[in-house]
Amino acid sequence: MQATPPSTPPEKVHCYPCPSCGAHLLFEPRDGFLSCPYCGHKEAIPESADQVQERSFEQYLQIRPEQLEQLAANALEVRCQSCGATVTFTPPEVAGQCDFCGVQIVAQPKSADPILAPEGVLPFRFTQREAETGLRQWLQSRWFAPNALKQFARPDAINGVYLPFWTYDAYTTSYYAGERGEHYYTSETYSERDSQGREVTRTRQVRHTRWSPATGEVARWFDDVLVAATTSLPQKRLEALEPWDLTELKPYDPAFLSGFRAQRYQVDLAQGFEHVKQFAAGVIKGDVRQAIGGDEQRIHNIATHYSGVTFKHLLLPVYAGAYRFNQKVFQIVVNGRTGEIQGDRPYSFWKIALLVGTIALILVIVVGVLSSAKG
Ligand SMILES: [Zn+2]
Ligand SMILES: [Zn+2]
């Protein structure tokens, strides 16, 4: 039986055959061209005149099917049976090992489900080889790392994958109620004994706070608040990869995906906005304190109204890999723009025990030599 090809109109199929040899053109981070890995043919990705658009949050909260698209017309996706991450890719890229938990993915890739398509992409600038070289140096500088972890140094232990992010813009108006505290001082007399033991009366300044009610309104623009839409990597690790040069964002084009994977978002648009609110609450609290003024502030209530909320779905480039050791998953992630490496730093029990043991032995010898010299 023959498999029927997906019924996509041919002009919409995003694959990039090399005009000289017919192989697949892949995105080349070094120069940003589509390049043939076999004959070296290069092609520029057409410069889009479009700006990376922001979309209205409200219009996308209840998503309609026509608002969803595939990352590329021939995109496949596969879900990791172990950690649940779903990655999209285009042939000839294959599923292989999960970039986030290290298991071999056994599921058959299927045609990718449509998603809220990304508006922007930050293309890879570091190549896989450069990332691997950086990783080898990083691992060598970690003497205590278990030998098993050094398997990360093997080629293809990390893979290029675009991580999903949301960014939001919003205007906030916040009404607050609180109290302004102003310091004042009074003189107080007290008695104590002097050095000769005589009782003497002295005065001192004592600080008090006078509280008065304060209510009002503060407003501010939040611009491009970045929220990770992946839960496959810990938040602290993602933050440590920053900063991202978001001024270099390109309008999304399936050509950037050629030779790489992209993770499907796990945090949806509405959940992402809850992170924005949490972040904004901290900033607004600072604004309210400043507006209340005085020496101390009490905040009883802040009611914030959001308006003009817009968002972008972005793909940001990393090389990621995971390795299992002692039933634990060790993740390594490399910023595909800056080469910054973040990863677990496990310590080998035996290597530390050996070091401690060696130091103890040296001490015993030194003490032995010293005491025999005395005696
Ligand atoms: Zn070629
Ligand atoms: Zn996984």
Side-chain angles (χ1 to χ4, degrees):
M1 207 174 75
Q2 260 202 321
T4 41
S7 57
T8 328
E11 70 276 13
K12 277 204 73 188
V13 173
H14 297 120
C15 62
Y16 306 94
C18 173
S20 9
C21 76
H24 279 276
L25 298 178
L26 303 176
F27 177 75
E28 169 56 55
R30 260 183 300 233
D31 52 19
F33 281 81
L34 281 171
S35 309
C36 176
Y38 300 98
C39 74
H41 172 86
K42 282 190 180 295
E43 243 171 62
I45 296 173
E47 275 284 335
S48 166
D50 299 348
Q51 294 282 306
V52 179
Q53 295 290 332
E54 277 162 7
R55 299 185 188 177
S56 157
F57 179 67
E58 264 167 50
Q59 279 171 27
Y60 281 83
L61 262 187
Q62 300 290 330
I63 290 174
R64 297 186 302 278
E66 66 269 23
Q67 290 173 323
L68 300 175
E69 286 170 49
Q70 279 187 328
L71 278 183
N74 53 336
L76 299 174
E77 74 177 18
V78 72
R79 184 170 188 274
C80 171
Q81 68 275 12
S82 175
C83 73
T86 299
V87 292
T88 304
F89 52 90
T90 49
E93 183 74 15
V94 292
Q97 246 189 7
C98 176
D99 302 320
F100 305 109
C101 75
V103 306
Q104 196 65 35
I105 295 180
V106 293
Q108 278 302 313
K110 63 175 187 83
S111 177
D113 284 335
I115 59 167
L116 241 177
E119 284 76 44
V121 57
L122 209 46
F124 279 86
R125 193 151 63 189
F126 270 67
T127 63
Q128 170 110 13
R129 295 288 156 261
E130 288 167 335
E132 282 167 0
T133 305
L135 184 56
R136 260 194 300 280
Q137 286 164 356
W138 187 82
L139 286 167
Q140 272 157 13
S141 68
R142 273 149 186 82
W143 188 81
F144 285 124
N147 285 330
L149 190 74
K150 297 206 170 169
Q151 291 226 12
F152 257 128
R154 76 189 193 276
D156 296 329
I158 50 170
N159 273 296
V161 55
Y162 288 102
L163 298 179
F165 282 81
W166 304 109
T167 74
Y168 300 83
D169 287 0
Y171 186 72
T172 61
T173 321
S174 307
Y175 302 92
Y176 64 85
E179 287 172 78
R180 176 171 41 245
E182 267 149 354
H183 294 160
Y184 65 96
Y185 296 84
T186 53
S187 295
E188 204 176 77
T189 57
Y190 65 104
S191 48
E192 65 176 12
R193 294 199 180 272
D194 68 8
S195 52
Q196 267 90 51
R198 290 171 301 208
E199 185 153 315
V200 287
T201 301
R202 303 186 197 275
T203 61
R204 63 180 164 204
Q205 292 291 100
V206 182
R207 199 182 85 182
H208 307 271
T209 306
R210 186 182 292 115
W211 291 98
S212 55
T215 56
E217 185 189 321
V218 291
R220 83 153 51 221
W221 263 109
F222 286 91
D223 190 30
D224 283 339
V225 181
L226 190 67
V227 176
T230 173
T231 54
S232 295
L233 290 163
Q235 190 62 33
K236 66 168 176 24
R237 191 129 295 152
L238 291 168
E239 281 167 11
L241 288 179
E242 293 178 21
W244 296 99
D245 47 347
L246 295 179
T247 49
E248 296 298 311
L249 275 180
K250 303 267 181 272
Y252 178 74
D253 184 310
F256 292 116
L257 191 64
S258 193
F260 295 94
R261 306 173 187 173
Q263 193 193 7
R264 171 185 268 272
Y265 47 78
Q266 295 166 303
V267 174
D268 71 23
L269 189 59
Q271 289 167 336
F273 193 62
E274 292 306 310
H275 292 276
V276 175
K277 285 184 180 168
Q278 261 175 34
F279 166 77
V283 178
I284 292 168
K285 215 167 176 175
D287 291 349
V288 167
R289 288 198 181 281
Q290 205 160 22
I292 291 177
D295 300 307
E296 288 178 61
Q297 302 83 31
R298 285 176 180 160
I299 300 172
H300 299 316
N301 182 45
I302 301 176
T304 296
H305 175 73
Y306 289 85
S307 54
V309 183
T310 57
F311 74 95
K312 294 189 290 261
H313 176 26
L314 306 180
L315 297 179
L316 304 184
V318 301
Y319 289 96
Y323 187 78
R324 281 168 187 265
F325 174 71
N326 275 353
Q327 267 103 63
K328 205 177 167 297
V329 177
F330 295 104
Q331 293 177 310
I332 300 265
V333 58
V334 183
N335 183 319
R337 297 288 293 181
T338 63
E340 165 84 25
I341 300 173
Q342 289 295 325
D344 294 309
R345 286 208 210 167
Y347 295 100
S348 163
F349 170 77
W350 291 110
K351 283 188 179 176
I352 293 173
L354 191 68
L355 179 68
V356 171
T358 309
I359 292 170
L361 189 67
I362 291 170
L363 283 177
V364 167
I365 294 168
V366 167
V367 169
V369 167
L370 284 179
S371 56
S372 68
K374 269 192 208 160

